[in-house]
Every structure is written in C-alpha cells, then in structure tokens.
Amino acid sequence: KTVLTQFFAGENHILIMAHGIVKAGVDLSRLTPDDLRIEGDKVIIRLPPAQITDAYLDDTQTKVVERTTGFLRAFDKDLEQTVRQNAVDDIRRAARMGGILKDAEDRARAQLSNLFFELGFRKVEFRPFSAGPVQNPFNPPSPETGATTNR
C-alpha cells in the first residue's frame, strides 16, 4: 500500500510518499484440543480470528517529497519520525479496510483444509472462534458442571 501523509507542526511541515508492507495471519498456537472435533471422515475446527502481525514502511520506496522549516524556527528532528509512524498507522488501516484479515483467514482455511484432506478426511468444517469450544466426543462434559474433563 502507498499513502501520501502530510503533517504540520507550527511552521514546520513534511510531506512523504510512504510505501508500506502489512502482514496478517491466523495464530494456530492459540488452538487447544477443545477447538478440534473429529466425526468419522469430517473435521470440525474452531479457528482463531486473523490478525495483523506486522506493519512497516519499505524505506527503499518511501520518499520525503517536501520538507519545510519555518523562518527562524529550529528543525524538528522528531517530525519525520512522527510522520513515518502516522504513515504506518494509515497503511495498517488501509490494509484492514482492503480486506487483509479476510484474505488471511481464507488462506488459513485453505491450507488447513488441504492438510486434512491429505490426511484422508473428506470434509473440513470451520466454526467461528467466538462460538465457544467445539464439543469433543473424546472429552465429554461432566454431568455436574458441564465442563469438559480429560481422560
């Protein structure tokens, strides 16, 4: 993504053409045994939501277009850093609005589906992470508490 960011601080201002990189994915380390259920040749997975994992400027393509220091004003050394941070925030927001989280979730689903199909399963079903644990037939709820027990 490329954004044009301008920032004013008194009579000092800077304009940069920023090119950034945003990465997103699904953190599979958040999966627990309660997030997976096997029913014959079907796997049901409660997949964690996708999240942005990294966002940064590509310094080889980010350029200062204009820099102005006001008359009799000291150069603000923190101004460019502030503009760069604002540009990263803008690029992160643009990627989110552009659907990067849905793309990351779709890629995770496709890769997990391929893995389970290679393992011999015929159907892979995904449930939202917010839906609560998948009831695992190998770890049934206890009658008193409704909580699962480990066997």
Side-chain angles (χ1 to χ4, degrees):
K1 299 280 181 186
T2 302
V3 296
L4 193 61
T5 301
Q6 187 166 340
F7 190 78
F8 293 93
E11 294 177 25
N12 295 339
H13 80 271
I14 188 167
L15 176 67
I16 67 171
M17 176 75 70
H19 180 82
I21 296 161
V22 180
K23 298 177 183 179
V26 173
D27 183 1
L28 297 179
S29 70
R30 293 179 58 193
L31 288 174
T32 67
D34 289 336
D35 296 322
L36 183 71
R37 183 174 76 204
I38 298 172
E39 294 177 353
D41 63 355
K42 177 170 86 170
V43 176
I44 302 170
I45 304 169
R46 191 172 66 116
L47 195 63
Q51 56 193 16
I52 292 178
T53 59
D54 201 6
Y56 55 92
L57 294 182
D58 179 349
D59 288 327
T60 64
Q61 295 186 37
T62 297
K63 309 279 186 246
V64 174
V65 175
E66 181 181 338
R67 180 187 320 244
T68 304
T69 302
F71 183 68
L72 296 177
R73 300 224 16 153
F75 175 72
D76 184 353
K77 62 181 172 37
D78 297 328
L79 182 59
E80 186 172 340
Q81 188 62 32
T82 301
V83 172
R84 287 178 173 272
Q85 185 56 53
N86 288 344
V88 170
D89 293 343
D90 290 346
I91 289 167
R92 182 182 288 115
R93 190 171 20 263
R96 189 179 298 273
M97 290 175 58
I100 193 171
L101 296 178
K102 183 183 180 322
D103 292 345
E105 185 174 310
D106 290 347
R107 280 192 317 273
R109 286 176 182 227
Q111 290 176 351
L112 286 171
S113 293
N114 288 337
L115 171 67
F116 284 110
F117 291 148
E118 287 291 320
L119 292 172
F121 293 94
R122 294 190 176 275
K123 185 171 183 186
V124 179
E125 186 178 309
F126 294 91
R127 302 250 171 101
F129 202 64
S130 60
V134 174
Q135 290 302 315
N136 191 332
F138 304 111
N139 194 12
S142 71
E144 304 84 39
T145 64
T148 59
T149 56
N150 293 322
R151 292 186 183 189

